Amino acid sequence: MKFPFVKQTIKQASIIIAVIAVSSQGLGVIREAIMANYLGTSVEYDILLISMAIPMMIANILFMAIPSAGIPYLQQTREISSAGSEINEPVFIKANSIIILLISVFIFFALPLFRGILAQGIDDTQIDKIIFYGRIFCFLIPIRAYEGVFRALLQFRRNFLFPAMTILGFNLGIILVLLTLFPSIGTPAYIVAWFVGTISQLLIVAIPSYLLIKRNVKTEDDRARLDSAGYFKYLSVIAFIESLGLIIDPFDRFLAGTFLSEGYVSANYYALIIGSVPIRILIYALGTAIFPSLSEYVAEGNIIKVRKLYHKAIKVCLVLIIPTAVYLYLFSGDIVKILFERGKFGAGSRIMTTEVLRYYLLGMVFHALFFIQLRVAYAIKLRRYLILSRILSFAIKGAIGLTFIGTDWALAIGGGTIAMFTVNYFLMEIVLIRKSGLIYLYDDVRNIMKALCGAAIPTLFIIGTYYVFHYVLSLGALIPLVAVGAAGLSGLFITDRWLGITGFSAKSKG
């Protein structure tokens, strides 16, 4: 199979993103293992994470919202323009620059206003340090946001190679800085590392995007114009929807920092790192690859193709995530111990991290399904329903968090997140069926059932070999970890060859 340098199909893009994600997420775990060694679940690391919460939430809102809003509008612009015309990239960049710079400046000066929220349960010296660090992290907002701009331009042209490589550059940059500087200068090395990593991400997409723009230069008359007013309106809606999702992390840090003792903020962060790896490797690859095609089908008014592609993505998601979640749940304590338990990260830190990690793993399938679902909803532009479902589901999470934080912190934070994604998924599925016509025909139901069967077989392989190695043979952690993983992969390979679940295909345009 050829992998063109400039443009990829859905299958090629999924493979590229997933393959690169394996190494990049592996580096991400190494990055956190280094931090666990240096800082563990300490108050110092809690302060760093709390100080990053608001700036990085805003940065990630822009990073997620710009491609999610931009690609459908760029696709729509192409459809209504004359044959052969190209988008006006400089106009798209300038339009986003206005928003990025205004928001970045506002957050920098407004950050002390959040002092009252952040200060609960934290002394004045620590809150001063949080505000100081937070203002430094505000400079990451425009860097991260411009990465979203160039990522949108590349993915619109179906170039997924360079966007997939960004996290690789990010983690390599951070690891190199941490290993070089942290032993000598301590906490400031963590801040420098984040800037080096984020700038590396930007350059990886900015340089090829610039070269592609030069390569596709046309006269102004031959270029399609962006509907700036419509784009800004949709961008604001997407940004609001993304903010309702990305506020989860600051909310959890607020709960842990306010109602719990030191270390719980960082313990939850380590759990999130482990719990997000499978979704970032498998599902982000799939969702990112299908999004431009979904937007194109919607622009064409071809809801049948949208329905087929969405249901194929659900099928692949189920067969990959269910066995993975079961495997990680069974070995959750062992994985945390192997990855992090050294230096300042002791047995107590492992227990705290494992407690909340198990909740994230229980809800992983709905987290993954909702990510795919969200790509479809963005392409169709289901603004009002997305906002309502996000608000309602987050209110449920908040209620669970505030109710149980004093008695069961893992249920309060992890269980609340499970409930949020589950409610979100079912609410939006009803909307997609009733309002957008994405109904399940007989073939769709049959394929979903086939996917559930395909997930059940490797899951049984995993559970069976786990109990054999763990209880019958009574071996250590590492040998069962490898053996059970191999059994699960073998089961997945056999069932996929038999049922043909993950081999969905699409034309080069989709």
Side-chain angles (χ1 to χ4, degrees), residues 9 35 58 65-66 132-133 148 157 165 168 216 245 271 286 308 324 342 367 418 421 442 461 481 490 494 501 505:
T9 66
M35 291 309 304
I58 300 300
I66 289 171
F132 175 73
Y133 287 155
R157 296 183 180 279
M165 293 174 62
L168 197 63
N216 291 281
L286 180 60
K308 288 182 177 179
T324 302
R342 61 187 60 84
H367 184 181
I418 289 175
F421 282 120
Y442 173 76
F461 275 44
L481 188 73
S490 299
I494 292 169
I501 296 170
S505 61

Side-chain angles (χ1 to χ4, degrees), residues 244-253 255 268 271-272 275-276 279 356-368 370 389-390 392-402 404 408-425:
L244 292 173
L246 293 171
I247 202 174
I248 299 169
D249 190 35
F251 177 75
D252 288 342
R253 294 182 189 187
L255 281 179
N268 182 58
L272 281 171
S276 65
I279 294 176
V356 70
L357 172 61
R358 285 176 174 162
Y359 279 99
Y360 291 135
L361 297 175
L362 287 173
M364 181 183 290
V365 66
F366 289 106
H367 184 181
F370 181 67
S389 68
R390 279 278 185 167
L392 178 60
S393 60
F394 183 76
I396 292 172
K397 173 181 168 54
I400 292 173
L402 293 171
F404 293 102
D408 189 337
W409 84 278
L411 172 63
I413 293 177
T417 300
I418 289 175
M420 184 192 69
F421 282 120
T422 304
V423 170
N424 235 328
Y425 170 74

Side-chain angles (χ1 to χ4, degrees), residues 230-288:
Y231 169 68
F232 283 142
K233 182 178 179 180
Y234 190 51
L235 177 63
S236 64
V237 173
I238 295 294
F240 180 67
I241 293 169
E242 289 292 344
S243 69
L244 292 173
L246 293 171
I247 202 174
I248 299 169
D249 190 35
F251 177 75
D252 288 342
R253 294 182 189 187
F254 163 75
L255 281 179
T258 302
F259 297 100
L260 303 173
S261 58
E262 65 181 55
Y264 283 92
V265 174
S266 41
N268 182 58
Y269 180 70
Y270 290 123
L272 281 171
I273 293 296
I274 297 174
S276 65
V277 166
I279 294 176
R280 291 182 180 277
I281 291 174
L282 302 172
I283 306 308
Y284 281 21
L286 180 60
T288 301

Side-chain angles (χ1 to χ4, degrees), residues 24 27 165-174 196-197 200-201 204:
S24 61
L27 287 173
M165 293 174 62
T166 55
I167 192 67
L168 197 63
F170 174 77
N171 285 325
L172 281 172
I174 285 189
V196 170
S200 299
Q201 284 183 290
I204 288 171

Side-chain angles (χ1 to χ4, degrees), residues 455-471:
I457 293 173
T459 299
L460 290 174
F461 275 44
I462 289 169
I463 294 173
T465 52
Y466 173 80
Y467 277 96
V468 169
F469 278 93
H470 219 71
Y471 294 104

